[in-house]
Amino acid sequence: IPFLFISSAFAGDAEIKAAQTVIDNQLKAFVANDGARAYSFAAPNVKRVFPTVDAFMNMVTNGYAPVRKPQSYSFGKVEQTGPTSIIQQVMIVGPDGKDYEAVYTLEQQPDGSFQITGCSLRASTSLST
């Protein structure tokens, strides 16, 4: 019988839930002004660009105000893009009361945990009525 590798162990509800928990925990840390905790969810590629908590928090504060101080947020579409990669859409109401869409990329680390490798943010037009 030939050996078939089936990666159904990944992209199950548990992995998606784990990835969402990481985003949720980071957003809660931002709201609580806990920079060290927020930074702990950043993947090594992010930490290379922003090697200190202060540098990371300054980048988020200046470039990602809706992520830094969300009024509310909810998870949208999720997609597995590779055996260890997840893209998660997050709908955010920013501090200005406007709707934003944040698209997070997460990568599973060697220890099995997920960390955030990137986030792109744009004003959302699809939610406005």
Side-chain angles (χ1 to χ4, degrees), residues 83-110:
T84 59
S85 305
I86 287 179
I87 295 178
Q88 175 68 60
Q89 176 192 49
V90 182
M91 308 319 264
I92 297 174
V93 178
D96 56 4
K98 295 184 173 144
D99 294 328
Y100 294 88
E101 176 192 29
V103 178
Y104 283 84
T105 54
L106 298 98
E107 190 73 36
Q108 195 169 26
Q109 303 303 303

Side-chain angles (χ1 to χ4, degrees), residues 2 26 31 33 37 46 59-60 68 104:
Q26 188 182 62
V31 170
N33 291 312
R37 181 158 166 74
V46 175
M59 174 272 297
V60 174
R68 178 72 177 86
Y104 283 84

Side-chain angles (χ1 to χ4, degrees), residues 11 17 32:
K17 185 74 181 142

Side-chain angles (χ1 to χ4, degrees), residues 16-28 72-78 88-92 102 104 106:
I16 290 167
K17 185 74 181 142
Q20 289 176 344
T21 298
V22 167
I23 296 169
D24 187 49
N25 286 339
Q26 188 182 62
L27 288 169
K28 285 178 174 154
S72 64
Y73 56 91
S74 61
F75 292 109
K77 295 180 295 221
V78 62
Q88 175 68 60
Q89 176 192 49
V90 182
M91 308 319 264
I92 297 174
Y104 283 84
L106 298 98

